[in-house]
């Protein structure tokens, strides 16, 4: 199987899983979350996996695309299939996934060179530096 076939196969499996999960969830009652609006949106974190993809889709369905910001924190260390899946999810959601990244570090290796470590007793340096 060539790399493109692997990506397509992975994406198809992800979407099949997402649709299966989504089909088993009832709608949230209208008015359960007052105050959600375009001016006070839900922020849904998209990480590239099935779980976050489903969560973001449910937020869009429940609150409306105009009241949800879907945000991806790009560590610049993702597999190419993650970006392919992101484009597919954007089509599925009907809105663009906002991408943010660290202004101080361009990749995980930069964090390593700066801190001489990635994981320490008080947490992962790459998460602290690239995702906060």
């Amino acid at each position: 199987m060539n790399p493109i076939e692997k990506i397509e196969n992975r994406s198809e499996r992800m979407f099949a899983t997402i649709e299966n999960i989504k089909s088993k969830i009832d709608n949230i009652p209208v008015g359960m979350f007052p105050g959600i609006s375009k001016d006070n949106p839900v922020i849904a974190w998209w990480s590239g996996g099935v779980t976050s993809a489903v969560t973001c889709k449910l937020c869009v369905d429940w609150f409306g695309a105009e009241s949800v910001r879907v945000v991806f924190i790009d560590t610049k260390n993702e597999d190419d299939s993650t970006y392919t899946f992101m484009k597919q999810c954007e089509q599925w959601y009907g809105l663009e996934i906002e991408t943010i990244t660290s202004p101080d570090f361009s990749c995980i290796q930069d964090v390593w060179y700066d801190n001489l470590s990635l994981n320490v007793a008080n947490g992962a340096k790459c998460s602290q530096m690239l995702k906060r």
Side-chain angles (χ1 to χ4, degrees):
M1 187 179 297
N2 69 44
I4 298 298
E5 289 171 328
K6 286 181 181 180
I7 291 169
E8 289 171 350
N9 188 12
R10 177 180 175 214
S11 294
E12 287 173 17
R13 287 193 328 264
M14 284 183 189
F15 277 109
T17 302
I18 289 166
E19 289 302 323
N20 184 30
I21 293 168
K22 190 174 180 307
S23 70
K24 296 177 182 179
I25 299 173
D26 293 329
N27 288 328
I28 290 179
V30 174
M32 187 166 186
F33 295 100
I36 303 298
S37 68
K38 182 179 180 183
D39 296 325
N40 188 29
V42 169
I43 296 177
W45 296 108
W46 189 89
S47 67
V50 171
T51 305
S52 71
V54 169
T55 301
C56 292
K57 176 61 173 158
L58 292 173
C59 286
V60 169
D61 288 351
W62 289 335
F63 303 112
E66 69 284 347
S67 298
V68 177
R69 290 177 57 196
V70 179
V71 181
F72 170 55
I73 303 174
D74 192 353
T75 63
K76 306 289 190 205
N77 198 51
E78 304 294 338
D79 187 82
D80 289 341
S81 63
T82 301
Y83 301 106
T84 300
F85 185 52
M86 183 170 83
K87 293 297 178 198
Q88 292 169 332
C89 285
E90 288 176 331
Q91 291 177 346
W92 189 38
Y93 304 155
L95 59 90
E96 183 178 338
I97 297 172
E98 298 176 42
T99 301
I100 60 175
T101 190
S102 170
D104 301 321
F105 299 95
S106 62
C107 61
I108 289 175
Q109 291 79 3
D110 289 348
V111 176
W112 167 259
Y113 294 131
D114 192 61
N115 295 276
L116 298 179
S117 177
L118 289 180
N119 197 9
V120 295
N122 62 350
K125 286 290 186 185
C126 58
S127 290
Q128 291 172 1
M129 303 298 182
L130 297 173
K131 294 187 175 184
R132 295 189 179 154

